[in-house]
Amino acid sequence: MLQKSQFGTFPRSTGELETAFRGNSQGGGTPRTAVAVRPYSHFIPQTSQVQVKIMDMTSARPRRAKIKPREEAAHFSSVCKDKDGFDVKFINSYKGRGVFSCRPFQNGDFLIEYRGEVITKSERENRHKLYHNALKVFMFDFRFNGQELCVDAAKEDNSLGRLVNDDHVNPNCKMKLIKVDGKPHLCLFALKDISPGQEIAYDYSDSDWPWRCRISTETLHEDGAMTSESHCDDIQQVS
């Protein structure tokens, strides 16, 4: 028996194909008229063609846009967390600890926030009288909306920004001021491409740091002397 489909009439088996040409051998009747029959494979799409179409559609999809450094900085500042990609290592007894990259970063990338308690100038002066010299280096002065403020990062809170060292000779990042929900945040952005294993360092601006006097071509400091009492009147605000 011939089977009908949207492609026309064709036999369901090889035996029916022979009957269509030779006639019914059991009945001895008149041979049927031979018809051209297309094989089943003609009506089955080629798998390779389907795969090619799927690949074409996949390649045509737009790639996910990279988040802008300013937006990334605002996100991590708002959740008070450090991004992945950094490791803290002990350098030596004089320099103490430092922050190192463990993955590559590109020029302009957001790196780390200098996180701490934002206090007024008067409160900063009060604490400055009470703090030991080892804690004073964690006080970062800056201006915001015409007001003198300070980020006090003296408290050990496992944040990375307070451990980033000074390098006035060849820094690979720069401190910039951003505003999130009306509040100031100090964030480090890469000045150049940074390879895995490189130490993160920026220029503290002031020129009278004791480690600079000791060795002018190296960035040295006592344990934790990374984000310090820098006066950042020249800090760039990122809008």
Side-chain angles (χ1 to χ4, degrees), residues 24 31 89 141 167 177:
N24 190 335
K89 298 179 181 180
D141 299 332
D167 188 342
L177 174 66

Side-chain angles (χ1 to χ4, degrees), residues 146-167:
Q147 184 180 8
E148 292 187 25
L149 299 174
C150 174
V151 173
D152 183 358
K155 182 179 179 180
E156 180 72 64
D157 60 356
N158 295 321
S159 63
L160 299 176
R162 64 191 300 276
L163 301 179
V164 177
N165 284 308
D166 170 48
D167 188 342

Side-chain angles (χ1 to χ4, degrees), residues 192-203:
K192 60 184 73 173
D193 292 347
I194 300 175
S195 302
Q198 288 186 324
E199 183 181 3
I200 306 301
Y202 69 102
D203 185 356

Side-chain angles (χ1 to χ4, degrees), residues 132-143:
H132 186 274
N133 289 338
L135 295 180
K136 292 178 182 179
V137 296
F138 292 106
M139 305 185 78
F140 199 123
D141 299 332
F142 67 100
R143 292 181 181 273

Side-chain angles (χ1 to χ4, degrees), residues 90 92-96 210-212 214 220-223 225:
F90 180 80
N92 55 48
S93 59
Y94 185 77
K95 194 172 183 180
W211 53 86
R212 292 185 181 179
R214 179 174 175 176
L220 296 176
H221 70 84
E222 295 182 2
D223 183 37

Side-chain angles (χ1 to χ4, degrees), residues 41-42 44-51:
S41 60
H42 178 81
I44 301 176
Q46 296 294 323
T47 304
S48 59
Q49 294 178 353
V50 176
Q51 291 176 342

